[in-house]
């Protein structure tokens, strides 16, 4: 595990974007695993700016997103499909047919999750997986549980996650209760994992996840065992370690 300490959110975003840019430059046809949430917005902004400046080309890049809400129309502005288009895909030249997210509207959860794992396998796995972390230690929507889930699966969101995500919706009632998410096994299979964390409110979970025991009760803690894991976190997020 490598920790890169940054001054603040902007510094974290630039450094994370630089790591992703390096991946795209080294391997133009790489598979990027992408994440949603508040944290990666600044990272994507930098990638868009460097694309616009002619420094980055995504023409051969393929993407797989970590997760998607279940039963939220794709066009809903808070679907992760919409989030990704608004923050990245609409602004760079990743071909539309190279963009992959779980289909949250496929009612057959088992079929959808198996199909998503097959897509990831057909791409040859993920070269670089970007991650945020939830206050409960979740990665993707892998919530605290008694065992690490391996492949893509359907999850019931915890109350803490619903509470955290209600800021994006009109009310808590509108937050979907379920999601399809890559499993911790899929994430651990990525050749490189890049986690970004910012803010004092994440300091406690950063300490627990990366300076405490590896346990499925803190899903992110498994990353301590990843051979190529980089944590880019600002001073506030690292203030307890
Ligand atoms: P956030 O979410 O970036 O909005 O804090 C992180 C996560 O839940 O993975």
């Amino acid at each position: 595990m490598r920790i890169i300490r940054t001054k603040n959110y902007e510094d974290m975003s630039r450094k994370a974007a630089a790591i992703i840019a390096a991946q795209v430059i080294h391997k133009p046809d790489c598979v990027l695993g992408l994440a949603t949430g508040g944290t990666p917005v600044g990272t994507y902004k930098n990638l868009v700016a460097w694309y616009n400046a002619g420094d980055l080309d995504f023409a051969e890049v393929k993407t797989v997103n970590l997760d998607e809400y279940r039963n939220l129309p794709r066009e809903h502005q808070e679907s992760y499909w919409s989030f990704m288009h608004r923050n990245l895909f609409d602004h760079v030249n990743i071909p539309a047919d190279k963009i992959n997210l779980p289909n949250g509207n496929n009612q057959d959860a088992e079929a959808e999750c198996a199909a998503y794992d097959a897509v990831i396998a057909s791409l040859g796995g993920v070269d670089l997986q970007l991650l945020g972390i939830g206050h409960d230690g979740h990665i993707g929507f892998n919530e605290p549980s008694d065992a690490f889930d391996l492949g893509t699966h359907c999850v019931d969101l915890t109350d803490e996650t619903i509470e955290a995500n209600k800021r994006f919706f009109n009310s808590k009632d509108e937050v979907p209760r379920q999601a399809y998410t890559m499993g911790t096994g899929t994430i651990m299979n990525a050749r490189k994992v890049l986690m970004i964390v910012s803010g004092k409110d994440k300091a406690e979970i950063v300490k627990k996840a990366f300076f405490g025991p590896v346990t499925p009760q803190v899903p992110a803690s498994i990353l301590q065992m990843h051979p190529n894991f980089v944590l880019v976190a600002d001073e506030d997020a690292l203030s307890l370690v």
Side-chain angles (χ1 to χ4, degrees):
M1 174 168 90
R2 294 194 40 211
I3 300 179
I4 297 175
R5 180 184 288 262
T6 70
K7 288 192 279 293
N8 50 34
Y9 178 81
E10 285 70 31
D11 191 20
M12 176 207 75
S13 300
R14 263 194 315 276
K15 288 193 164 71
I19 292 170
I20 297 169
Q23 173 68 64
V24 173
I25 292 166
H26 275 299
K27 187 178 175 188
D29 62 346
C30 64
V31 178
L32 295 180
L34 298 175
T36 53
T39 314
V41 171
T43 303
Y44 294 147
K45 275 208 177 91
N46 280 287
L47 292 176
V48 170
W50 298 338
Y51 167 75
N52 285 331
D55 292 330
L56 271 180
D57 181 8
F58 293 89
E60 295 177 64
V61 166
K62 294 156 272 186
T63 71
V64 284
N65 260 81
L66 276 173
D67 46 17
E68 178 59 282
Y69 287 120
R70 191 169 187 210
N71 289 330
L72 192 64
R74 199 171 81 157
E75 290 69 30
H76 189 288
Q77 63 163 0
E78 293 309 330
S79 76
Y80 288 165
W81 189 90
S82 293
F83 173 98
M84 287 308 304
H85 281 77
R86 193 162 63 239
N87 286 286
L88 183 66
F89 299 152
D90 286 347
H91 312 290
V92 298
N93 62 336
I94 302 170
D97 63 345
K98 298 288 191 288
I99 288 170
N100 300 283
L101 285 92
N103 174 7
N105 290 290
N106 183 348
Q107 296 307 312
D108 187 339
E110 218 167 289
E112 179 56 31
C113 294
Y116 201 62
D117 282 337
V119 166
I120 297 169
S122 74
L123 295 174
V126 176
D127 288 297
L128 172 61
Q129 178 66 55
L130 178 65
L131 292 178
I133 187 171
H135 293 103
D136 59 1
H138 71 213
I139 46 177
F141 273 126
N142 291 277
E143 302 281 20
S145 73
D146 294 334
F148 289 110
D149 273 294
L150 298 181
T152 302
H153 57 287
C154 181
V155 287
D156 296 327
L157 306 193
T158 60
D159 201 53
E160 189 167 5
T161 298
I162 293 167
E163 196 60 44
N165 288 7
K166 76 174 186 202
R167 67 192 197 274
F168 300 117
F169 293 83
N170 291 323
S171 71
K172 189 173 166 181
D173 287 346
E174 283 186 23
V175 185
R177 272 18 189 191
Q178 288 187 313
Y180 295 148
T181 183
M182 276 186 200
T184 39
T186 321
I187 294 168
M188 286 298 281
N189 279 337
R191 287 181 272 282
K192 184 182 203 128
V193 176
L194 166 63
M195 177 178 278
I196 48 178
V197 195
S198 167
K200 273 220 153 52
D201 58 311
K202 295 278 174 77
E204 192 67 52
I205 192 63
V206 164
K207 182 176 167 195
K208 247 173 136 172
F210 305 118
F211 296 85
V214 174
T215 162
Q217 292 301 335
V218 185
S221 64
I222 189 94
L223 295 167
Q224 293 181 38
M225 307 184 75
H226 193 284
N228 198 355
F229 170 51
V230 185
L231 173 65
V232 179
D234 66 11
E235 281 172 8
D236 283 345
L238 293 172
S239 55
L240 296 180
V241 300

